[in-house]
Amino acid sequence: MTETSATASPVALTSATRPRLRFAPSPTGYLHVGGARTALLNWLYARHFDGEFLLRIEDTDRARSTDASTRAIFEGLEWLGLQWDEEVVYQGANVARHADDGARMLAANAVYRCFCTSEELDQRRRDAQARHETFTYDRRCDRLPADEIARLVAANTPYALRFRVPEGTTGWVDLVHGQITFPNKDIEDFVVLRSDNTPVYNMAVVSDDIAMRITIVMRGDDHISNTPKQILLYHALGAPLPTFAHLPMIHGTDGKKLSKRHGATAVADYQIQGILPTAMLNFLALLGWSPGGDREIMTVPDMISLFSTDGLQRKAAIFDPQKLEWMNGQHLSLIALDDLLPRVVPALVAAGLTTPEAMAARPEWFRALIDLLRVRARTVLDIVRQAEPYLRDTINYDPEAVAKQWKDRSAAAELLAVARIQLASVAEWTPQGLEPALRTLAESRGVTAGKIFQPLRVALTGLTVSPGIFDVLVMLGRDRALSRIDTAIAYLR
Ligand code: GLU
């Protein structure tokens, strides 16, 4: 029997060792928000501690892996700005090394040949089930006499390699959970290489993590049960252990595991919905990490500098799309206008509200408009919706706005007519010029300014919510503003 040390503690990294982390998705679908969260926390760790963040595509499952999915992962990470260091590693390209590592463990007597066929194993599994027992491999092939093994090998009998799990316990100090220990009697002698020489998941991951010199393995805590097997493999391969960190699962607001029932789970869907990458990153970071205190809104540089392993959370994280939208609103105001424009402009064009030529004709006006609208928007699409009254010649009245602000139609029409006269007389079409005119009007009629502003806002924008009325008037410009009021009066009469 091979002696493998049964307990494990993280190898102390010298200060000269730069941490190396990886994100290792299986390309079998889109980039899921859970995967993106894991990628982000690995990336933040690497950026904070001046390490490397690597990307490994785990495509050994040829039947389920697709190029489209690999592309979706690249695109999602690129959209989020999670650049990886070094070249992408494709796990499928390393099967020869995986097999070599298996052979090395056989030579070191850490694994043994298992000649049991899958039919035999299935039968034993069914038998165990019938007896209401859980099936564990009974090590029968480890008890084969040497001459029998030699005979089977000489006869080219196919065999898998099984890990000979030693007695004792296997444990590690998890960065998130602290000490975790598994009794080895609960770990069956697991297959490392199948009879066709292909690696099982744990074998491929450990072989690659060793080859990539990964020092921190940070992944979802659904992998906790794999970790003791992986630790045994590290020992058998004579490699130092990385530090493990298992991030909490993500649940929906109902406390159940996040699924499509809860709304979009693909990062790309949020991109389409007009969520900013910085807001998405901020939101994802808080799914399993907290900077401490009640701080929530963070830029990417904030997150990099505030990152610490102490802030990694154990309890399941809650994915609340409404919170994401709120955060996005905060980030819309936070980011530099120059970074926002390239996201809003194509959306305005796609909505048919403007053309690149029209924008080029008055760039400052467009900048001012978007700067004004972003304050009250939660998504880029909100900005597009709100921009409509400023970019279209026709106006749509929101029925709710009409019902609320133009309840008495003839009174509203009369008020708008007076306001129009007042506005038309304003010499300087600026907030400073317009404000006294409307305030004087309110005073002369003995009403609050709001009684004038609200009906006027509906006339100008069709909406109940808009930027301040003077900003609206200025953005529309004198001619369009006055003609909007005329249209409203005609509509009301
Ligand atoms: N391909 C595995 C997954 O997507 C990687 C797990 C790991 O990080 O070790 O779950």
Side-chain angles (χ1 to χ4, degrees):
M1 275 270 259
T2 317
E3 280 309 305
T4 52
S5 136
T7 34
S9 55
V11 172
L13 296 170
T14 66
S15 57
T17 319
R18 295 178 74 189
R20 287 170 67 84
L21 299 96
R22 85 308 193 267
F23 174 49
S26 307
T28 54
Y30 48 84
L31 179 62
H32 187 271
V33 288
R37 181 284 309 261
T38 298
L40 170 61
L41 293 181
N42 275 284
W43 184 85
L44 286 175
Y45 190 113
R47 293 296 171 262
H48 178 88
F49 291 107
D50 193 24
E52 312 286 354
F53 169 72
L54 311 186
L55 177 60
R56 180 170 74 230
I57 301 293
E58 303 215 316
D59 56 351
T60 38
D61 185 345
R62 295 275 178 212
R64 293 179 63 225
S65 303
T66 65
D67 289 345
S69 168
T70 302
R71 269 197 308 279
I73 292 166
F74 292 162
E75 281 163 15
L77 293 177
E78 274 159 12
W79 176 66
L80 289 168
L82 302 179
Q83 298 94 336
W84 54 91
D85 305 306
E86 304 181 7
E87 276 190 39
V88 178
V89 173
Y90 291 89
Q91 187 160 68
N94 297 329
V95 286
R97 169 167 36 70
H98 304 150
D100 282 353
D101 281 345
R104 270 207 299 137
M105 290 194 291
L106 183 64
N109 211 21
V111 301
Y112 57 88
R113 295 181 181 89
C114 176
F115 298 94
C116 300
T117 63
S118 46
E119 292 75 30
E120 288 164 351
L121 292 166
D122 284 346
Q123 184 56 49
R124 282 179 234 157
R125 204 167 281 124
R126 279 194 298 271
D127 293 347
Q129 246 163 25
R131 293 192 304 272
H132 302 289
E133 288 168 18
T134 40
F135 172 78
T136 37
Y137 186 67
D138 60 6
R139 298 189 149 168
R140 66 178 68 186
C141 286
D142 197 21
R143 293 190 296 269
L144 291 175
D147 56 345
E148 171 72 355
I149 295 172
R151 189 189 62 74
L152 288 165
V153 171
N156 279 330
T157 314
Y159 58 83
L161 292 184
R162 270 190 196 272
F163 196 89
R164 184 181 297 109
V165 177
E167 286 181 1
T169 57
T170 302
W172 72 97
V173 180
D174 195 274
L175 265 188
V176 181
H177 297 266
Q179 178 69 43
I180 298 183
T181 308
F182 282 79
N184 287 4
K185 66 173 171 43
D186 293 348
I187 309 169
E188 80 170 334
D189 282 2
F190 56 96
V191 170
V192 296
L193 287 181
R194 302 184 189 92
S195 57
D196 62 1
N197 236 8
T198 58
V200 300
Y201 159 75
N202 284 313
M203 178 71 213
V205 165
V206 171
S207 179
D208 287 355
D209 282 339
I210 294 171
M212 291 164 75
R213 291 175 286 115
I214 297 301
T215 62
I216 317 272
V217 170
M218 193 190 284
R219 59 188 170 199
D221 65 16
D222 49 336
H223 284 288
I224 284 184
S225 61
N226 286 318
T227 304
K229 295 179 185 170
Q230 296 188 5
I231 288 174
L232 291 169
L233 288 171
Y234 276 97
H235 290 321
L237 291 166
L241 281 186
T243 299
F244 292 96
H246 288 93
L247 303 170
M249 289 289 98
I250 301 176
H251 290 172
T253 44
D254 58 0
K256 304 224 169 77
K257 189 168 188 275
L258 190 67
S259 74
K260 284 189 186 152
R261 279 182 304 114
H262 295 104
T265 53
V267 169
D269 290 334
Y270 291 97
Q271 179 179 6
I272 293 165
Q273 284 177 24
I275 296 292
L276 295 172
T278 48
M280 192 81 212
L281 288 168
N282 188 166
F283 177 75
L284 290 173
L286 295 178
L287 298 177
W289 174 70
S290 158
D294 46 18
R295 174 124 191 220
E296 288 202 304
I297 299 299
M298 290 171 283
T299 63
V300 174
D302 289 341
M303 289 188 271
I304 292 175
S305 75
L306 290 167
F307 183 83
S308 85
T309 54
D310 293 345
L312 294 173
Q313 309 286 305
R314 287 179 196 212
K315 57 175 192 307
I318 303 295
F319 189 97
D320 179 356
Q322 284 188 337
K323 180 160 179 182
L324 170 57
E325 218 178 274
W326 168 77
M327 278 196 163
N328 199 58
Q330 303 290 309
H331 279 269
L332 280 176
S333 295
L334 209 62
I335 70 170
L337 189 56
D338 285 326
D339 292 333
L340 180 59
L341 290 172
R343 300 177 194 284
V344 177
V345 170
L348 288 174
V349 174
L353 289 175
T354 187
T355 59
E357 296 74 38
M359 299 185 110
R362 45 176 187 164
E364 287 314 314
W365 181 83
F366 270 98
R367 285 177 70 87
L369 177 67
I370 292 164
D371 202 19
L372 197 61
L373 298 181
R374 65 167 160 169
V375 182
R376 280 171 191 78
R378 289 190 156 199
T379 65
V380 167
L381 297 185
D382 268 351
I383 297 182
V384 172
R385 267 192 295 275
Q386 290 185 36
E388 208 174 307
Y390 306 87
L391 296 169
R392 275 211 212 286
D393 290 329
T394 53
I395 177 105
N396 294 317
Y397 300 119
D398 168 14
E400 243 175 80
V402 171
K404 194 165 165 210
Q405 303 300 347
W406 291 351
K407 223 179 292 164
D408 181 338
R409 294 173 78 101
S410 66
E414 189 267 338
L415 179 92
L416 289 175
V418 184
R420 191 203 190 282
I421 296 170
Q422 191 79 1
L423 288 170
S425 71
V426 169
E428 210 193 317
W429 200 263
T430 60
Q432 299 72 27
L434 291 160
E435 183 161 358
L438 288 185
R439 300 225 182 257
T440 312
L441 178 63
E443 266 161 45
S444 71
R445 295 174 67 101
V447 296
T448 59
K451 287 272 186 284
I452 312 254
F453 295 175
Q454 297 302 349
L456 185 57
R457 186 185 313 280
V458 181
L460 296 172
T461 66
L463 308 168
T464 37
V465 183
S466 79
I469 197 77
F470 307 112
D471 288 327
V472 172
L473 286 162
V474 171
M475 281 322 296
L476 283 170
R478 185 176 193 277
D479 293 348
R480 190 173 245 173
L482 295 179
S483 100
R484 279 272 155 89
I485 299 173
D486 293 337
T487 307
I489 294 169
Y491 171 89
L492 287 165
R493 284 183 176 149

